[in-house]
Amino acid sequence: AQSVTQPDIHITVSEGASLELRCNYSYGATPYLFWYVQSPGQGLQLLLKYFSGDTLVQGIKGFEAEFKRSQSSFNLRKPSVHWSDAAEYFCAVGAGKLIFGTGTRLQVFP
Amino acid sequence: DAGVIQSPRHEVTEMGQEVTLRCKPISGHDYLFWYRQTMMRGLELLIYFNNNVPIDDSGMPEDRFSAKMPNASFSTLKIQPSEPRDSAVYFCASSSTGSREKLFFGSGTQLSVL
């Protein structure tokens, strides 16, 4: 069965610190993988996606993610977090029909 | 483009009443998705359409839920009768062929069933 697991429900970091949000997936074929961000009271916005090729993908707002097939992971990273990055982050897998993880809420302290 | 437009933003109703949620996708997009978001279950895909035709409605919880897309610029999600456990945020999203996984989400409808 297709599924996405985000093990961290809530993460708190200081502004300027590095960030890594974890995502593990289960998918029967080569996965299409995505990270979306949701600001309070808003819909989701696509940060980045992986379809094939280079396993390190760059996204908007300085985010990147690395696909590791051996670990079934697609972790999201940012070298230096800004206060405006505080939001909820969703990992998703699928082709056409996306399955979302339960999300990780990021809090940023000044 | 104004993006995906959903109405109403907030809906409060009493158990047993009919609820209709509305969505206008981005012009030119031929995929439309309805998602439900709750704390307990996260984001669940309810149904999606391609070229106004329902493709997969396996996520629709039960017969009380129905969705229509009479034309390319409008879709509705109806709950009749509504129950307190239907309380959630309902999102509509659209995308286009060739980039169908790049979903553009509306701001959602916060539904509270008392």
Side-chain angles (χ1 to χ4, degrees):
Chain A
Q2 302 168 12
S3 66
V4 177
T5 301
Q6 294 180 247
D8 304 306
I9 296 172
H10 187 201
I11 283 184
T12 301
V13 299
S14 298
E15 191 169 21
S18 64
L19 172 70
E20 183 168 25
L21 302 183
R22 296 184 290 166
C23 172
N24 293 95
Y25 67 89
S26 172
Y27 196 74
T30 300
Y32 292 171
L33 294 157
F34 309 83
W35 275 98
Y36 279 80
V37 61
Q38 183 180 29
S39 297
Q42 300 297 316
L44 282 68
Q45 179 187 20
L46 180 66
L47 279 177
L48 49 80
K49 60 185 178 182
Y50 170 79
F51 283 1
S52 64
D54 192 346
T55 56
L56 184 64
V57 294
Q58 302 297 319
I60 62 172
K61 305 184 181 186
F63 285 92
E64 66 179 26
E66 186 171 13
F67 170 57
K68 293 185 177 180
R69 185 186 299 275
S70 61
Q71 299 178 18
S72 297
S73 70
F74 188 58
N75 294 348
L76 181 71
R77 300 194 295 249
K78 187 169 184 178
S80 178
V81 171
H82 188 263
W83 64 266
S84 60
D85 293 325
E88 187 139 20
Y89 292 80
F90 292 89
C91 182
V93 65
K97 172 179 167 178
L98 292 188
I99 307 299
F100 285 86
T102 50
T104 297
R105 182 168 298 278
L106 175 65
Q107 193 169 7
V108 180
F109 281 124
Chain B
D1 198 317
V4 176
I5 299 173
Q6 290 187 247
S7 64
R9 283 299 306 269
H10 302 275
E11 176 80 39
V12 180
T13 190
E14 292 185 344
M15 183 174 62
Q17 296 299 305
E18 177 179 296
V19 175
T20 300
L21 311 181
R22 298 174 176 79
C23 175
K24 176 179 168 55
I26 291 174
S27 177
H29 281 187
D30 50 357
Y31 283 87
L32 185 140
F33 304 81
W34 282 101
Y35 281 87
R36 177 172 68 176
Q37 186 177 37
T38 61
M39 289 292 292
M40 293 298 295
R41 300 174 69 91
L43 266 167
E44 303 172 275
L45 176 64
L46 301 177
I47 184 172
Y48 78 95
F49 296 82
N50 178 219
N51 291 322
N52 314 336
V53 176
I55 302 301
D56 185 345
D57 64 355
S58 59
M60 296 286 263
E62 46 197 277
D63 292 345
R64 298 184 297 106
F65 285 69
S66 63
K68 294 182 180 179
M69 192 165 187
N71 57 63
S73 59
F74 184 65
S75 177
T76 60
L77 178 68
K78 186 175 292 187
I79 308 172
Q80 166 63 17
S82 58
E83 297 181 2
R85 61 193 169 116
D86 302 329
S87 299
V89 181
Y90 291 82
F91 286 102
C92 175
S94 69
S95 65
S96 59
T97 299
S99 188
R100 59 180 178 167
E101 293 83 8
K102 184 175 181 179
L103 273 59
F104 291 81
F105 281 77
S107 297
T109 295
Q110 173 78 58
L111 174 64
S112 297
V113 183
L114 307 177

